[in-house]
């Protein structure tokens, strides 16, 4: 019985190990043969191997470039959109900053550099000449903010501009001293020559005084207030040999066409 088992094992290659060894040797021989053929082709005809492999190389390259191009286009489109959005946001911020800077500059001209709280009501000018009637301002504060008829409106540097002639809850009208036909008592020059200022419109006044009073071009014009408040300056002295009087041409120190803020008290 033992002898038969030994013969059977020998006949079939030791339980199958011989069969696998034969297949392995065959595969190894084929691989070696393939490598030998490739080496011969590489040495004998190097261009042939490149020609055979080039279709596969081109296909791989095309697929890689296609994926890369798709990703590049998507990335470029996204970057362009982000850039355009940032440009729009930057433009909006520039406009906003310019608006704030102009507002700060206007308020500094109006209030100066003082740090204490300003007296009166700060009001923005909604309409000025020529949008509003000449020498009338429409402001954005009214009776709800404490603006009352007869109150004085002041411009940059505390220059008196005129008086409040009407007010509702949220707005008011300021009639400037230079309104046509308005008559305002005041003084001229350092010697305080009494004058009656007659408004001629657009920030202008006329006044008639004796020629011997000695008013000169450049003299300031003052109106009553807490002391004497400068509101205008003499720009011309008109003389007439047949008259003992002279006519003063006077211009407001504040341009009514560029007013943006006033204080009312």
């Amino acid at each position: 019985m033992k002898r038969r088992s030994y013969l059977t094992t020998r006949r079939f290659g030791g339980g199958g190990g011989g069969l696998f060894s034969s297949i392995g040797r065959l595969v190894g021989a084929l691989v070696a043969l393939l490598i030998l053929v490739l080496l011969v082709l590489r040495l004998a005809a190097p261009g042939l191997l490149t020609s055979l492999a080039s279709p596969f190389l081109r296909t791989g390259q095309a697929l890689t470039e296609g994926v890369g191009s798709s990703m590049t286009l998507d990335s470029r489109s996204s970057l362009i959109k982000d850039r355009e959005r940032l440009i729009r946001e930057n433009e909006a911020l520039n406009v906003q900053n310019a608006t704030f800077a102009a507002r700060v500059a206007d308020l500094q001209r109006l209030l100066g550099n003082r740090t204490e709280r300003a007296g009166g009501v700060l009001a923005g000018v909604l309409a000025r000449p020529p949008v509003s009637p000449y020498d009338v301002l429409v402001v954005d504060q009214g009776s709800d903010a404490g603006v009352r008829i007869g109150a004085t409106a002041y411009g940059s540097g505390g220059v008196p501009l005129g008086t409040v002639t009407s007010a509702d809850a949220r707005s008011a009208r300021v009639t400037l001293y230079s309104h046509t036909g308005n008559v305002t008592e005041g003084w001229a020059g350092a010697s305080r020559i009494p004058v009656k200022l007659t408004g001629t419109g657009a920030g202008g006044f006329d006044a008639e005084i004796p020629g011997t009073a000695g008013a000169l071009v450049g003299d300031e014009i003052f109106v009553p207030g807490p002391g004497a408040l400068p509101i205008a300056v003499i720009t011309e002295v008109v003389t007439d040999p047949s008259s003992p009087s002279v006519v003063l041409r006077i211009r407001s120190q504040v341009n009514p066409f560029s007013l943006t803020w006033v204080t009312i008290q």
Side-chain angles (χ1 to χ4, degrees):
M1 182 67 67
K2 291 181 180 180
R3 182 177 180 82
R4 183 179 178 181
S5 176
Y6 172 76
L7 292 174
T8 304
T9 302
R10 292 276 297 174
R11 185 179 300 167
F12 290 98
L19 177 61
F20 290 130
S21 297
S22 299
I23 294 173
R25 287 193 293 273
L26 179 60
V27 170
L30 290 174
V31 170
L33 180 61
L34 179 60
I35 292 174
L36 180 61
V37 170
L38 292 175
L39 288 175
V40 171
L41 289 174
R42 176 67 176 171
L43 295 173
L48 178 61
L49 187 60
T50 303
S51 300
L52 292 174
S54 61
F56 301 100
L57 294 175
R58 284 196 298 269
T59 301
Q61 184 179 1
L63 290 173
T64 302
E65 290 178 351
V67 173
S69 298
S70 177
M71 294 178 64
T72 301
L73 289 175
D74 290 342
S75 300
R76 185 177 300 172
S77 176
S78 177
L79 288 174
I80 290 173
K81 289 180 180 179
D82 288 343
R83 179 176 177 274
E84 291 175 349
R85 176 179 57 80
L86 291 174
I87 289 174
R88 290 194 299 269
E89 291 178 357
N90 186 59
E91 290 175 348
L93 288 174
N94 286 337
V95 171
Q96 190 177 39
N97 288 338
T99 301
F100 287 151
R103 182 172 296 180
V104 169
D106 285 342
L107 290 175
Q108 284 180 338
R109 282 195 294 269
L110 177 66
L111 304 176
N113 294 321
R114 62 190 180 195
T115 57
E116 72 274 11
R117 183 176 177 180
V121 178
L122 179 64
V125 178
L126 297 175
R128 66 193 62 75
V131 177
S132 64
Y134 264 54
D135 295 83
V136 172
L137 304 178
V138 180
V139 299
D140 65 357
Q141 299 293 335
S143 57
D144 285 354
V147 175
R148 56 183 176 77
I149 294 175
T152 300
Y154 298 85
S156 301
V159 175
L161 302 173
T163 57
V164 177
T165 51
S166 67
D168 56 27
R170 296 184 180 180
S171 64
R173 290 165 63 94
V174 176
T175 299
L176 302 181
Y177 293 128
S178 57
H179 189 278
T180 301
N182 266 9
V183 177
T184 305
E185 299 285 343
W187 302 279
S191 58
R192 300 296 191 267
I193 303 167
V195 293
K196 284 187 177 182
L197 305 171
T198 301
T200 58
F205 305 87
D206 279 349
E208 187 173 343
I209 62 173
T212 56
L216 301 173
V217 171
D219 284 349
E220 287 186 312
I221 301 295
F222 302 87
V223 295
L229 303 176
I231 68 167
V233 64
I234 298 174
T235 58
E236 184 182 3
V237 178
V238 181
T239 60
D240 182 352
S242 63
S243 174
S245 299
V246 296
V247 176
L248 307 179
R249 307 293 188 200
I250 301 166
R251 177 63 53 189
S252 174
Q253 291 187 350
V254 176
N255 183 358
F257 301 102
S258 61
L259 286 169
T260 55
W261 298 88
V262 297
T263 54
I264 300 173
Q265 58 183 5

